[in-house]
Amino acid sequence: MRLAVSTLGMPGEGLDRAIEIAAGHGCQGLELRLHPDTGVHSGLGAGERRSVRERVEGAGLEISALAGYVRICEPGPDEPVIEALLADLRLAADLDAPGVRVFPRGDDPAVGARRLKAVSGTAGALGRRVYVETHDLMATGAAVAGLLAEAGRPETTGAIWDLLHPWRHGESPAETLAALGQYLSYVQVKDAVSAADTTPVPMGTGSVPLDEAGGLLRGAGYDGWVSLEWERTWYPQVAPVEEILPGAADWVRRFTA
């Protein structure tokens, strides 16, 4: 497994500081949150995109994923969703990120599947993938796997297993991994106080079954990205991500096959 860190954990920090933190704490990758606050988003011009890529690669890092906010299953017209996702996929190609994270934000797999099919041709031509996170109205591995099965585009779609959300919705790590199976493309790791209180805490000090999940991933031979998603943007009172990264790096080392 390869360690990355999300810029979600670095509110107010610029890209150069994010790169410094990632490179200085044993990360091989940087997960870039797409938002005007971070300076990375689909509105960047060609020169700005080139600068982002060169700065990340110049520090010996890879961009592990783009954390986008497209709502793939949200009710409403398809066109705005498709256009936004295509813009993010083109940004991913320019930055050499392997894929773009999307949220469900709806519970009808037919809606999301239709949109995933619509962008599949462009995603394939660009060599990029769409990663659906276990989140919100499709928080379990079973729900996301159902969406991806209906889309039927395994070459351009995949799943992000956020270790918190399926568990807090009653799905065990073993059940999540079994459900995601071939779709598992990316892992986001974090710890939290409890299923009811999702305040972030240092790795191994909360209630998320991290050791169980790590053992299952090792047993399955998972060798992809593991990104620390330290949600300091939403919980500004928690410690800086620099204090949490050593625990995440230790977790990756312990469970790398």
Side-chain angles (χ1 to χ4, degrees):
M1 292 189 279
R2 307 174 71 203
L3 178 64
V5 61
S6 171
T7 54
L8 184 68
M10 310 171 200
E13 304 283 7
L15 178 62
D16 290 335
R17 176 58 180 154
I19 291 169
E20 180 183 4
I21 290 170
H25 289 81
C27 295
Q28 297 163 283
L30 187 61
E31 178 185 310
L32 297 177
R33 176 182 179 234
L34 299 187
H35 194 278
D37 290 349
T38 68
V40 182
H41 51 83
S42 61
L44 295 182
E48 294 168 311
R49 295 174 184 222
R50 188 163 51 250
S51 174
V52 169
R53 179 171 174 173
E54 290 175 351
R55 285 147 69 191
V56 173
E57 293 178 349
L61 298 171
E62 298 176 40
I63 299 174
S64 59
L66 301 184
Y69 287 91
V70 168
R71 303 175 173 197
I72 198 67
C73 296
E74 185 173 56
D78 288 350
E79 288 75 12
V81 177
I82 292 169
E83 289 175 6
L85 183 50
L86 288 173
D88 285 352
L89 285 166
R90 294 184 184 107
L91 177 64
D94 288 341
L95 300 185
D96 197 28
V100 176
R101 186 276 307 279
V102 300
F103 284 145
R105 299 299 193 202
D107 58 6
D108 186 347
V111 173
R114 187 170 65 241
R115 294 163 178 172
L116 290 171
K117 290 176 183 177
V119 304
S120 181
T122 299
L126 293 171
R128 311 299 141 178
R129 303 180 75 206
V130 181
Y131 302 143
V132 182
E133 184 174 334
T134 54
H135 199 273
D136 57 81
L137 296 179
M138 290 187 177
T140 64
V144 169
L147 164 61
L148 296 177
E150 184 153 349
R153 297 292 189 273
E155 69 282 2
T156 57
T157 61
I160 292 179
W161 180 9
D162 181 310
L163 299 187
L164 172 65
H165 297 302
W167 164 76
R168 74 184 188 92
H169 282 83
E171 189 178 69
S172 71
E175 291 170 330
T176 303
L177 184 59
L180 292 179
Q182 63 175 328
Y183 301 117
L184 180 61
S185 304
Y186 198 90
V187 174
Q188 289 177 337
V189 65
K190 65 185 74 169
D191 209 345
V193 173
S194 69
D197 180 356
T198 57
T199 302
V201 294
M203 298 278 290
T205 67
S207 301
V208 179
L210 296 175
D211 285 358
E212 181 182 356
L216 288 165
L217 287 166
R218 180 175 56 197
Y222 177 75
D223 60 359
W225 288 107
V226 172
S227 178
L228 172 64
E229 191 183 47
W230 182 244
E231 297 183 329
R232 198 175 187 217
T233 295
W234 315 130
Y235 299 87
Q237 76 278 13
V238 300
V241 71
E242 302 95 301
E243 297 181 19
I244 310 303
L245 267 168
D250 178 67
W251 187 89
V252 168
R253 281 192 296 269
R254 286 194 292 126
F255 295 110
T256 295

